[in-house]
Amino acid sequence: MQTIAASLLAADFACLEQEVAKVANADYLHVDVMDGQFVPNISFGPPVIASIAKITPIPLHVHLMVEEPIRLLDSIFASGEGQIDCITVHAEACKHLHRTLQAIKDRGIKAGVALNPATSVTGLEHVTELLDRVLVMTVNPGFGGQQFLLEMVPKIKATHQLLSSLGVSKEIGVDGGIDLETGPLVVEAGASFLIAGSAIFGADEPDRVIEQLRSIVV
Ligand code: DX5
Ligand code: ZN
């Protein structure tokens, strides 16, 4: 069984409450925060996260696609009203990744590190103690609805191997272009935390797609 996070970026922001209700069976709501600097797009920030936290009990997985995310941790954490389960930052965006992960863990929540497609997983070797989840980006971050990068499948396997060789067990997540076709590929490669936006919100029956992604067997 996979853990499924529905990426809100693909929802219709004009009616967030109805959209969130459609994915009530997701394990997490994936909340993409973008700053127009780290990625060439701007999405939303703490005020919108605060509104989302009010309308759903689903735990939030916050994906910070921002430069120096340590600056925003206080405001993001406060906006989640106790509903933020995990904050994931990009390794490439942090001058001090270790300090940033420590600052997330100090808040008593899970910490994740996302890796852009060009970033090798080997850089995480020295921060595994502070990590709960490695997020292998399967598209270049910044936009929903992009095509899955097939060349990330070996990277998921490499991540799995690295973590096993270090004797640590961490969740491997994937984000970008995940649907019922690419899902089996990433699950077979070792991913167990699947984030999907378009495939879920673009479906006639989002709850069914969530169930199908969750029960992929390889
Ligand atoms: C991309 C975001 C993703 C995005 C995924 O930068 O981090 O979470 O919403 O969207 P799909 O599933 O449509 O590729
Ligand atoms: Zn994301």
Side-chain angles (χ1 to χ4, degrees):
M1 289 273 276
Q2 284 66 243
T3 303
I4 307 300
S7 182
L8 216 54
L9 194 64
D12 181 350
F13 293 169
C15 46
L16 266 185
E17 191 159 9
Q18 290 99 301
E19 292 285 85
V20 168
K22 288 184 194 166
V23 298
N25 62 332
D27 299 291
Y28 296 96
L29 272 184
H30 179 80
V31 181
D32 287 309
V33 177
M34 304 180 185
D35 67 351
Q37 293 288 325
F38 179 67
V39 289
N41 196 9
I42 295 176
S43 55
F44 46 74
V48 175
I49 296 178
S51 300
I52 297 164
K54 281 196 190 93
I55 58 171
T56 177
I58 309 177
L60 307 179
H61 175 232
V62 179
H63 178 191
L64 294 181
M65 284 163 275
V66 303
E67 286 294 346
E68 288 300 344
I70 198 165
R71 297 172 298 129
L72 291 178
L73 292 181
D74 278 342
S75 58
I76 295 283
F77 189 69
S79 70
E81 301 190 3
Q83 237 173 285
I84 298 179
D85 174 79
C86 176
I87 295 182
T88 289
V89 296
H90 270 262
E92 308 86 0
C94 300
K95 274 201 192 102
H96 300 282
L97 179 61
H98 188 283
R99 175 179 287 147
T100 308
L101 294 174
Q102 185 70 68
I104 297 171
K105 296 300 289 178
D106 285 349
R107 286 162 171 86
I109 59 173
K110 292 181 198 149
V113 174
L115 301 172
N116 281 342
T119 304
S120 167
V121 67
T122 51
L124 295 186
E125 197 178 338
H126 303 292
V127 292
T128 52
E129 274 179 31
L130 291 169
L131 263 185
D132 295 287
R133 182 177 294 142
V134 179
L135 189 57
V136 177
M137 292 305 299
T138 39
V139 297
N140 284 291
F143 303 92
Q146 300 183 84
Q147 193 174 354
F148 177 81
L149 296 171
L150 202 53
E151 60 267 43
M152 292 301 108
V153 173
K155 183 172 167 182
I156 299 164
K157 287 186 187 149
T159 303
H160 195 67
Q161 277 159 7
L162 175 77
L163 294 172
S164 309
S165 74
L166 295 172
V168 292
S169 155
K170 310 282 171 186
E171 212 166 20
I172 300 177
V174 283
D175 188 8
I178 302 301
D179 57 23
L180 294 173
E181 268 179 39
T182 57
L185 305 178
V186 298
V187 170
E188 189 174 21
S192 60
F193 184 90
L194 310 190
I195 298 162
S198 325
I200 292 176
F201 284 99
D204 290 336
E205 296 177 277
D207 54 337
R208 240 191 98 192
V209 175
I210 289 170
E211 212 34 69
Q212 287 170 319
L213 288 170
R214 183 178 278 140
S215 50
I216 289 170
V217 180
V218 291

